[in-house]
Amino acid sequence: MQTSVSRRIEWDMGHRVPDHASLCKNLHGHRYVLEVELCDRVVHDEGNPENGMVKDFGALKQAMLEAIDGWDHSFMIYYRDPWLPAMEQLDTKLMVVGFVPTAEEIAAYLFIEVQSLLTVIVKRVTVWETPTCSATVVR
């Protein structure tokens, strides 16, 4: 039998989608929410600090925070965005990434990052860009 557990964290970050046909091509920001769901066996090992758990919620939170380290109150920009040289001239915190910073791409990146930090199975990663719009990557 396997059990699922999940945790959510939030951060504020700006971005732009350079090829977007509408408003998202402009500089703007969001209050992002990251939700990670783990699915694995419950530990049954007397004396183990995670006895009775899939994963300690604190350890899951730590992995999630490590995956987004430096992102809070930053501006995420694609390394091929034509606005990057101008943005580098500003006194601002930039996160230059190898993908267009859409919710879908951020979720895919975070799925890989969080999984690399944990020994249990990451089942699902959801990135909420707004309260009504999210992207989910599932195993």
Side-chain angles (χ1 to χ4, degrees):
M1 178 171 37
Q2 295 200 331
T3 302
S4 292
V5 296
S6 65
R7 176 119 196 192
R8 294 167 63 106
I9 62 170
E10 300 181 12
W11 77 99
D12 298 297
M13 185 175 75
H15 76 142
R16 90 178 199 103
V17 182
D19 298 323
H20 198 264
S22 187
L23 296 175
C24 290
K25 68 181 174 191
N26 297 306
L27 304 176
H28 65 286
H30 300 282
R31 176 74 178 172
Y32 286 93
V33 175
L34 168 62
E35 183 174 4
V36 174
E37 180 181 359
L38 307 177
C39 184
D40 216 323
R41 295 187 180 277
V42 173
V43 173
H44 293 107
D45 181 17
E46 292 289 328
N48 186 326
E50 292 185 340
N51 190 23
M53 305 174 195
V54 171
K55 188 70 178 172
D56 182 272
F57 286 119
L60 175 54
K61 178 183 179 183
Q62 189 58 42
M64 295 165 73
L65 290 173
E66 190 173 329
I68 65 161
D69 185 44
W71 289 15
D72 192 36
H73 286 81
S74 72
F75 188 85
M76 183 175 280
I77 189 164
Y78 178 44
Y79 82 106
R80 295 184 68 181
D81 188 317
W83 290 12
L84 178 58
M87 294 294 291
E88 289 176 323
Q89 300 304 308
L90 302 175
D91 181 24
T92 194
K93 185 176 169 184
L94 292 179
M95 298 303 300
V96 181
V97 293
F99 52 85
V100 176
T102 61
E104 296 90 336
E105 294 283 14
I106 294 169
Y109 174 85
L110 289 172
F111 187 101
I112 294 166
E113 287 298 306
V114 172
Q115 183 61 84
S116 75
L117 297 167
L118 296 170
T119 57
V120 296
I121 299 166
V122 174
K123 178 180 180 181
R124 177 180 57 85
V125 168
T126 300
V127 171
W128 292 87
E129 200 171 77
T130 71
T132 59
C133 299
S134 67
T136 300
V137 175
V138 294
R139 178 172 300 283

